[in-house]
Amino acid sequence: MIYVVATTQVKPESREAFIEGAKACIAETRKEKGCIAYDSHTSINDPNIFVVVERWESRDDLNAHARAPHMKAWRELSTPLKAAPTVIEIISDGKVEKL
């Protein structure tokens, strides 16, 4: 099993647009092969920090997710809404990759 933790800081004025776009992306992602869980959370310390926690059956499923058309659309929509690039941690087999 592959776990992913993706943390994004959003510009305060872009928060609502980010949330709306994320809802659509999450709905599509949950339909993907190998997606066990895909949930978004707001930081309790900063309402402009969002954390997505994902579980995938395999690395191949995660890689396919990264290439999915809705992810391309989400990256295009979300990039200008972010205060900083998303930090992605991929956890598998006792190791953590930070992207």
Side-chain angles (χ1 to χ4, degrees), residues 64-82:
H65 163 67
R67 296 186 304 269
H70 67 273
M71 288 305 296
K72 180 180 187 291
W74 170 239
R75 283 189 291 272
E76 289 172 3
L77 173 78
S78 66
T79 297
L81 307 176
K82 298 175 184 181

Side-chain angles (χ1 to χ4, degrees), residues 8-26:
T8 305
Q9 184 164 7
V10 177
K11 297 173 188 172
E13 66 275 13
S14 300
R15 186 175 189 278
E16 292 306 317
F18 185 88
I19 290 170
E20 286 307 308
K23 287 179 184 178
C25 179
I26 290 166

Side-chain angles (χ1 to χ4, degrees), residues 26-43:
I26 290 166
E28 288 303 308
T29 298
R30 287 179 175 166
K31 298 175 190 175
E32 290 182 55
K33 176 189 174 298
C35 181
I36 299 167
Y38 198 92
D39 300 299
S40 180
H41 308 275
T42 305
S43 168

Side-chain angles (χ1 to χ4, degrees), residues 30-98:
R30 287 179 175 166
K31 298 175 190 175
E32 290 182 55
K33 176 189 174 298
C35 181
I36 299 167
Y38 198 92
D39 300 299
S40 180
H41 308 275
T42 305
S43 168
I44 60 170
N45 298 315
D46 184 338
N48 298 310
I49 294 179
F50 294 86
V51 179
V52 173
V53 180
E54 311 171 29
R55 284 189 299 154
W56 295 90
E57 289 182 12
S58 72
R59 186 60 184 248
D60 288 341
D61 293 330
L62 175 60
N63 291 343
H65 163 67
R67 296 186 304 269
H70 67 273
M71 288 305 296
K72 180 180 187 291
W74 170 239
R75 283 189 291 272
E76 289 172 3
L77 173 78
S78 66
T79 297
L81 307 176
K82 298 175 184 181
T86 298
V87 175
I88 300 172
E89 297 174 282
I90 301 172
I91 305 158
S92 63
D93 300 326
K95 67 178 181 179
V96 177
E97 297 172 57
K98 201 164 195 170

